Amino acid sequence: MRLLAALCLALTALFTAVATADAHEVRPALVQIRETGPNAYEVVWKRPVVGDMALRLVPHLSGGALEKPAEVEQAAPGYVTRVWRVRDGPPLAGQTLEIEGLAQSVTDVIVRVTARDGEASDHVLKPAEPRMVLGATKPSGVAVPAYLLLGVEHILIGIDHLLFVLGLLLLIGPNWKLVKAITAFTVAHSLTLALAAFGIIRFPSAAIEALVALSILFVALELMPSRRAAGGLAQRRPWLIAFTFGLLHGMAFAGVLADIGLPASAAPEALFLFNVGVEIGQLTFIAAVLIVMAAGRRLLAMSHRTLPRWAALAPAYAIGGLSAYWLIERTMAAI
């Protein structure tokens, strides 16, 4: 009974995590500050939206430039953009940038400051630190934590990507095939992430998101005992399945970079850091799952019990049900 209760709690936690991910916006907002002349600069504010719902975030500069109505305001899929153009304003250096409402959110704000000579630096404002003092007008390069942390957070809050990895773990188990499959998945999504981030390949993001859901549904179907007993391609060549669907997941990862962009002066470094962050988050999740799996086996051995048949079906149905819902939802959005 304890084992059954633990399984029910695990499934409840899974559905709760999904509900939380849907209820709170986790994509980053973006502030771009670009110097255009002496005491002149342009401020671009991109705020995430979901349907008609937008985050309650408001940027402020201590010099007061952002208290005036924006000169440009436009809506695009997933974001609302506002633009202020400041002429003969107070110097940027020494001003405080603050994001009102950030402390009550679960998202981050990427701050990109570009000097007149094109040099740029990126910073991250978080709920615990919703403000920063702008430094010299000639910042130096991309801030290392900005894209590294963004990559870690993106994979850890990406419940769909994590469900695909979880499906692979349950399908293959902790063995040498798992190492090859995870390596193939990493190589594949790193490849398409780089190609998409630099504009070499382009794709409709809504269609890619639907295909990501389809990849998770495929893995869920392969988890069914009847499919596992048949010994199909997913059983014999899991690395091939991981590589193929990893190409799709890499394009989905590129979506967040398309939203905030890469710094022109340090695009390769920023892309590398983002990818490293994704891998750190992914390996952290894999390690956590393997620890839970090992603990579960130990508990079963100590109690001299086996899980009921329906418990073996639960992961396939839980992952399959969620991915089927996402597939329908995202397909409708792409039409």
Side-chain angles (χ1 to χ4, degrees):
M1 291 301 295
R2 291 179 180 178
L3 288 173
L4 292 178
L7 179 61
C8 291
L9 286 174
L11 291 175
T12 301
L14 175 62
F15 283 99
T16 301
V18 175
T20 303
D22 287 342
H24 300 284
E25 179 55 66
V26 291
R27 289 173 300 156
L30 173 67
V31 177
Q32 290 179 306
I33 304 175
R34 182 174 61 89
E35 279 194 306
T36 56
N39 294 337
Y41 38 92
E42 178 182 79
V43 181
V44 178
W45 166 243
K46 292 182 68 175
R47 182 176 54 159
V49 297
V50 178
D52 296 328
M53 302 295 294
L55 284 175
R56 297 180 181 276
L57 301 178
V58 181
H60 298 285
L61 275 175
S62 57
L66 306 187
E67 307 311 312
K68 303 175 183 178
E71 295 186 22
V72 177
E73 182 168 353
Q74 58 187 17
Y79 280 87
V80 171
T81 302
R82 292 180 178 176
V83 180
W84 291 265
R85 296 185 178 94
V86 181
R87 304 168 185 84
D88 195 25
L92 278 174
Q95 289 197 56
T96 298
L97 172 67
E98 181 177 2
I99 309 299
E100 179 186 345
L102 182 59
Q104 291 76 45
S105 74
V106 293
T107 190
D108 297 334
V109 176
I110 302 294
V111 180
R112 177 168 301 136
V113 182
T114 305
R116 276 182 288 169
D117 61 5
E119 290 188 66
S121 66
D122 286 357
H123 311 269
V124 178
L125 294 181
K126 308 180 79 64
E129 290 184 68
R131 63 183 63 85
M132 64 176 288
V133 177
L134 300 179
T137 55
K138 292 186 177 181
S140 56
V142 64
V144 170
Y147 285 88
L148 181 67
L149 293 178
L150 182 61
V152 173
E153 293 173 357
H154 182 63
I155 186 64
L156 290 181
I157 63 178
I159 187 70
D160 49 355
H161 300 295
L162 293 182
L163 279 183
F164 180 81
V165 174
L166 176 60
L168 286 178
L169 285 173
L170 296 176
L171 182 65
I172 303 169
N175 55 46
W176 180 243
K177 284 186 177 182
L178 176 62
V179 175
K180 293 194 291 184
I182 296 302
T183 301
F185 184 66
T186 297
V187 171
H189 74 64
S190 299
L191 176 63
T192 49
L193 172 60
L195 292 176
F198 288 113
I200 298 174
I201 59 175
R202 300 182 184 277
F203 50 86
S205 59
I208 291 299
E209 292 293 341
L211 290 174
V212 165
L214 181 62
S215 73
I216 305 168
L217 181 58
F218 175 85
V219 172
L221 291 173
E222 292 297 313
L223 286 173
M224 296 296 292
S226 58
R227 296 287 297 174
R228 301 184 74 164
L233 182 62
Q235 289 286 321
R236 292 181 286 107
R237 298 287 188 271
W239 66 268
L240 182 59
I241 300 300
F243 182 86
T244 301
F245 288 129
L247 296 173
L248 294 174
H249 285 250
M251 288 186 243
F253 290 151
V256 69
L257 289 183
D259 289 334
I260 66 171
L262 290 169
S265 60
E269 295 93 327
L271 177 61
F272 174 75
L273 290 173
F274 181 83
N275 203 46
V276 169
V278 168
E279 293 314 308
I280 291 174
Q282 180 175 284
L283 292 175
T284 300
F285 174 74
I286 291 172
V289 172
L290 291 177
I291 290 172
V292 171
M293 291 173 65
R297 291 194 191 93
R298 185 173 180 83
L299 287 173
L300 285 174
M302 292 174 61
S303 63
H304 303 289
R305 296 180 181 179
T306 59
L307 288 175
R309 184 176 181 276
W310 70 265
L313 295 173
Y317 278 102
I319 296 173
L322 288 171
S323 57
Y325 169 77
W326 286 328
L327 178 60
I328 296 171
E329 180 187 49
R330 296 173 182 182
T331 300
M332 296 299 294
I335 296 177

